[in-house]
């Protein structure tokens, strides 16, 4: 769908590459087995690797030009790779000798300094002839976070907390083993081996699987370092698509409850085959930039601060009662669970893979099913998730503002057409008003006594790269229950929503050169299924419903935005 008259996903080799990736991706259990079989041998190597990486991050976080350059296009700092290599990369002795001989113009006839020149030459040859060339993504961002350093370090060292805070980036994370612990619960010196999956919100872009060590180190009373580094130098695996060079953050306490954070992202990646509409954002490095991580962390702690403050009065008074402040806190808490649920849609595992919709014209629409029997806060039964990504000739911000406005919901939501929709309650972040939680009310048309009012809990936010509009239907009784200050964990809901990525004008690689711009819109809908769908089989009625929902929603959004831009 980029544009509509272009070839489908088969043109990009996506369907074929996805199955290969799912089959060949290394499993976390293999790494865990390797560590456990020779724990002491590997532990020493991992400790040395983590210490060296931590020192590198300390220097990289504190250095300025020429190591870091400012990218005016993306408004972020990027790494000067040549300066980095001069400062931090120590060449293999054999490779250094080769470079010296070439520089002198002499014959390449050198001693076997490492014991096996042939293997070294073979590794170099394999890298040069790689079918999928690697790219370097390196950036830095600095920000102030509303939390003290020790709590921030504890969050980063707790894999469950970390994956919750960064659920828009981290779809899966596992702590494979704790190699060192700090004394008396202090995280200083804690070292763990982890695996994680980083994703963009689209079924068309495969997540990045990374295996790394995470190490925390206290520099002084109020300054900490948390460092990641990939383990491929110890556990080589040619199939790994993403390696973390030393990455992490320097955390400095400012005053009580405030931290100055310098975040460094440095990865070597192989993006492989991706649809044209995502190539630019991946190639530019902004897809997983330090700025995206930084703003996500700021937003999380801004949310915590927001729920402690006195909010503006709601637009409509009937929702207000003596427990309004507690009710709003519960609403924000429920929205956080909703956002995590939406982001989990884009995680990937062998048991729950996307499959293309088997219908004429539905090749770019993907579905998957999930069975819930006892998870709290989620409907029991089979849930069908439907998702696709489309190109829109509309700027990212315009799409975001249109979809987040409560009074526009009746223009694109099939269930709200003909109704009056509006924001009944709005809770904004003090730092960025675009980050907000709202309650959208849907009133049935006059004379429709068979329909009652309906609410949608909605959260909209941006992480510098992606703009999100995530929502879930909530009936009036549940809203009353929440606003009375009762436990929102008991509220059952199913998240759906949109993610909007930017797309700057550029020439494409299609047979006829075209120039495109605008944005990429990913939509994901979750529906409870009564047709007994399975991961291998989707009944015809469910296929028809999925196709109708996606295609008609896209048409309504396009028509509204194009009409608006034409006015």
């Amino acid at each position: 769908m980029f544009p509509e008259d272009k070839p489908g996903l088969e043109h990009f080799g996506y369907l074929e590459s996805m199955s290969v990736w799912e089959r060949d991706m290394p499993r976390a259990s293999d790494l865990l087995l390797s560590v456990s079989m020779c724990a002491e041998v590997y532990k020493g190597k991992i400790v040395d690797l983590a210490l060296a990486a931590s020192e590198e991050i300390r220097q990289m976080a504190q250095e300025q030009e020429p190591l870091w350059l400012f990218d005016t296009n993306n408004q972020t700092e990027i790494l000067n790779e040549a300066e980095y290599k001069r400062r931090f990369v120590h060449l293999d002795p054999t490779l250094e000798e080769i470079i010296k001989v070439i520089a002198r113009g002499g014959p390449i006839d050198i001693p076997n300094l490492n014991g096996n020149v042939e293997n070294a030459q073979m590794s170099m040859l394999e890298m040069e002839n790689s079918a999928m060339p690697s790219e370097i993504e390196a950036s830095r961002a600095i920000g102030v976070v509303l939390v003290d350093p020790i709590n921030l370090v504890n969050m980063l060292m707790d894999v469950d907390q970390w994956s919750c805070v960064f659920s828009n980036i981290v779809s899966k994370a596992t702590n494979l083993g704790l190699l060192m612990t700090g004394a008396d619960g202090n995280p200083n010196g804690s070292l763990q081996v982890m695996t994680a999956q980083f994703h963009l919100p689209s079924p068309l872009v495969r997540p990045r699987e990374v295996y790394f060590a995470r190490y925390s180190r206290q520099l002084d009373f109020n300054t900490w370092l948390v460092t990641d580094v990939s383990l491929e130098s110890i556990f080589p695996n040619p199939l790994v698509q993403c390696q973390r060079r030393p990455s992490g953050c320097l955390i400095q306490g400012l005053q009580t409850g405030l931290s100055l954070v310098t975040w460094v992202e440095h990865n070597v990646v192989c993006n492989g085959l991706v649809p044209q509409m995502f190539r630019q954002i991946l190639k530019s490095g902004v897809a997983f930039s330090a700025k995206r991580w930084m703003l996500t962390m700021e937003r999380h702690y801004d949310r915590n601060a927001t729920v402690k403050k006195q909010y503006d009065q709601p637009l409509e008074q009937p929702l207000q009662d003596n427990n309004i402040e507690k009710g709003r806190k519960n609403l924000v808490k429920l929205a956080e669970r909703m956002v995590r649920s939406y982001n989990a849609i884009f995680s990937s595992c062998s048991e729950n893979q996307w499959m293309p919709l088997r219908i004429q014209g539905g090749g770019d629409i993907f579905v998957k099913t999930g069975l819930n029997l006892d998870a709290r806060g989620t409907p029991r039964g089979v849930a069908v998730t439907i998702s696709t990504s489309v190109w829109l000739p509309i700027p990212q911000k315009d799409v975001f503002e249109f979809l987040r406005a409560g009074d526009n919901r009746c223009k694109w939501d099939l269930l709200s057409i003909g109704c009056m929709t509006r924001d009944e309650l709005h809770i904004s972040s003090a730092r960025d008003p675009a980050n907000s939680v709202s309650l959208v009310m849907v009133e049935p048309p006059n004379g429709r006594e068979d329909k009652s009012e309906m609410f949608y809990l909605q959260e909209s936010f941006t992480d510098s790269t992606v703009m999100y509009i995530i929502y879930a239907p909530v009936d009036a009784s549940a809203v009353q229950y929440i606003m009375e200050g009762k436990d929102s964990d008991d509220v059952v809901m199913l998240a759906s929503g949109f993610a909007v990525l930017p797309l700057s004008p550029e020439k494409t690689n299609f047979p006829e050169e075209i120039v495109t711009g605008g944005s990429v819109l990913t939509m994901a809908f979750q529906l409870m299924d009564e047709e007994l769908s399975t991961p291998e089989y989707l009944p015809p009625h469910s296929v028809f419903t999925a196709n109708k929902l996606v295609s008609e929603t896209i048409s309504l959004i396009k028509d509204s935005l194009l009409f608006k831009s034409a006015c």
Side-chain angles (χ1 to χ4, degrees):
M1 297 187 179
F2 178 72
E4 294 175 350
D5 59 340
K6 296 301 173 186
L9 292 176
E10 294 81 359
H11 171 75
F12 304 109
Y14 173 80
L15 298 181
E16 180 183 356
S17 65
M18 182 174 68
S19 61
V20 171
W21 171 69
E22 293 288 357
R23 184 182 69 246
D24 291 340
M25 221 34 211
R27 299 179 60 186
S29 58
D30 296 336
L31 179 58
L32 183 59
L33 181 63
S34 298
V35 174
S36 61
M37 287 179 66
C38 296
E40 290 306 314
V41 174
Y42 288 126
K43 180 179 177 180
K45 293 181 179 180
I46 295 173
V47 170
D48 290 343
L49 182 66
L51 288 172
S54 179
E55 181 58 25
E56 181 173 314
I57 283 298
R58 184 189 68 79
Q59 296 182 48
M60 291 183 70
Q62 296 175 336
E63 289 289 331
Q64 302 299 324
E65 292 186 357
L67 184 63
W68 294 102
L69 306 173
F70 190 74
D71 180 359
T72 55
N73 291 330
N74 297 312
Q75 294 296 299
T76 189
E77 287 184 293
I78 58 174
L79 186 67
N80 182 339
E81 186 67 19
E83 181 66 16
Y84 171 79
K85 289 179 179 179
R86 188 184 72 82
R87 292 280 305 277
F88 296 103
V89 177
H90 301 288
L91 295 177
D92 178 279
T94 302
L95 184 57
E96 284 187 317
E97 190 65 24
I98 292 174
I99 293 174
K100 291 177 182 178
V101 171
I102 293 175
R104 291 196 302 265
I108 303 178
D109 183 17
I110 60 177
N112 187 348
L113 299 178
N114 275 349
N116 196 337
V117 176
E118 290 182 359
N119 286 346
Q121 292 173 333
M122 182 60 69
S123 297
M124 293 171 61
L125 186 62
E126 287 173 350
M127 287 189 293
E128 289 175 359
N129 294 335
S130 173
M132 295 293 180
S134 61
E135 298 177 2
I136 295 171
E137 298 176 355
S139 59
R140 184 174 73 170
I142 301 173
V144 176
V145 185
L146 303 181
V147 65
D148 55 87
I150 188 64
N151 282 323
L152 194 52
V153 173
N154 284 332
M155 179 274 290
L156 293 169
M157 297 304 294
D158 184 317
V159 69
D160 293 329
Q161 287 190 53
W162 174 66
S163 57
C164 283
V165 170
F166 296 99
S167 67
N168 57 316
I169 304 173
V170 182
S171 49
K172 293 173 64 178
T174 305
N175 188 337
L176 299 178
L178 187 62
L179 300 188
M180 296 195 304
T181 59
D184 300 323
N186 188 310
N188 181 34
S190 180
L191 175 63
Q192 58 197 36
V193 177
M194 303 171 60
T195 178
Q197 224 182 60
F198 301 153
H199 73 274
L200 277 179
S202 174
L204 309 185
V205 181
R206 65 191 187 188
R208 293 176 174 178
E209 194 91 8
V210 289
Y211 300 88
F212 57 98
R214 176 165 291 178
Y215 176 61
S216 62
R217 169 187 168 198
Q218 187 172 15
L219 300 182
D220 57 41
F221 174 72
N222 221 18
T223 305
W224 291 78
L225 274 173
V226 177
T227 306
D228 295 347
V229 61
S230 275
L231 299 173
E232 275 68 38
S233 62
I234 301 173
F235 306 100
N237 193 320
L239 298 175
V240 170
Q241 303 288 302
C242 178
Q243 296 186 36
R244 284 176 81 67
R245 285 181 176 177
S247 302
C249 55
L250 174 69
I251 304 167
Q252 300 167 284
L254 296 178
Q255 60 190 54
T256 303
L258 287 178
S259 297
L260 178 67
V261 178
T262 303
W263 193 289
V264 175
E265 277 296 300
H266 195 183
N267 300 302
V268 180
V269 300
C270 174
N271 289 318
L273 298 172
V274 294
Q276 177 73 42
M277 67 180 92
F278 293 102
R279 291 179 191 172
Q280 181 194 35
I281 197 168
L282 288 168
K283 186 177 180 180
S284 67
V286 302
F288 298 97
S289 67
K291 187 176 181 181
R292 188 180 181 207
W293 290 89
M294 188 74 242
L295 290 188
T296 296
M297 186 163 61
E298 287 180 352
R299 183 179 64 85
H300 172 79
Y301 288 102
D302 285 354
R303 169 202 290 273
N304 290 352
T306 298
V307 298
K308 298 176 183 178
K309 294 181 179 179
Q310 183 67 40
Y311 301 114
D312 297 332
Q313 293 299 309
L315 301 179
E316 296 291 334
Q317 296 302 316
L319 291 175
Q320 187 175 2
D321 58 27
N322 293 331
N323 292 322
I324 187 65
E325 186 170 351
K326 188 174 181 180
R328 294 188 185 207
K329 290 180 180 179
N330 282 349
L331 203 65
V332 173
K333 181 182 176 183
L334 182 61
E336 186 174 24
R337 169 157 68 91
M338 175 185 70
V339 169
R340 291 200 306 268
S341 174
Y342 175 83
N343 286 323
I345 289 173
F346 301 104
S347 67
S348 179
C349 64
S350 57
E351 294 80 18
N352 193 11
Q353 296 184 25
W354 293 106
M355 56 182 179
L357 197 63
R358 303 189 184 283
I359 190 173
Q360 182 66 31
D364 291 352
I365 302 173
F366 286 79
V367 295
K368 63 180 177 179
T369 61
L371 175 63
N372 173 52
L373 297 177
D374 53 10
R376 188 181 181 189
T378 305
R380 289 174 59 88
V382 177
V384 177
T385 305
I386 312 148
S387 183
T388 192
S389 296
V390 298
W391 169 75
L392 295 175
I394 307 293
Q396 179 191 29
K397 187 175 181 181
D398 291 352
V399 178
F400 175 70
E401 293 295 342
F402 170 77
L403 291 172
R404 72 191 291 258
D407 56 358
N408 284 337
R409 187 175 187 94
C410 58
K411 299 177 183 177
W412 58 263
D413 179 15
L414 296 179
L415 297 180
S416 301
I417 292 177
C419 301
M420 292 291 295
T421 59
R422 66 174 184 273
D423 284 333
E424 185 77 4
L425 185 66
H426 199 82
I427 305 169
S428 296
S429 165
R431 191 191 307 238
D432 186 354
N435 298 338
S436 63
V437 174
S438 57
L439 203 57
V440 180
M441 183 177 184
V442 181
E443 288 185 316
N446 293 332
R448 290 295 303 272
E449 297 180 357
D450 58 322
K451 282 195 172 185
S452 59
E453 63 184 16
M454 186 65 188
F455 293 91
Y456 285 93
L457 176 62
Q458 177 178 294
E459 178 157 3
S460 56
F461 62 94
T462 177
D463 60 19
S464 83
T465 299
V466 190
M467 293 182 171
Y468 296 85
I469 307 94
I470 301 169
Y471 63 87
V474 185
D475 61 35
S477 61
V479 170
Q480 187 64 35
Y481 182 86
I482 296 167
M483 300 311 293
E484 287 174 356
K486 297 179 180 176
D487 190 357
S488 63
D489 289 342
D490 293 324
V491 176
V492 175
M493 63 180 206
L494 208 58
S496 300
F498 303 94
V500 194
L501 285 85
L503 188 64
S504 301
E506 66 166 357
K507 287 189 176 182
T508 75
N509 292 324
F510 287 121
E512 61 273 25
E513 293 291 314
I514 61 173
V515 177
T516 60
S519 57
V520 175
L521 175 67
T522 294
M523 56 187 68
F525 304 117
Q526 292 194 87
L527 308 171
M528 293 309 297
D529 183 68
E530 299 177 357
E531 298 289 332
L532 301 178
S533 298
T534 68
E536 297 80 21
Y537 173 72
L538 204 63
H541 178 73
S542 297
V543 171
F544 174 79
T545 300
N547 185 62
K548 177 181 173 66
L549 177 61
V550 169
S551 58
E552 293 192 10
T553 302
I554 292 172
S555 294
L556 289 170
I557 292 172
K558 281 185 176 180
D559 290 346
S560 296
L561 286 169
L562 292 174
F563 175 79
K564 182 179 178 181
S565 63
C567 293

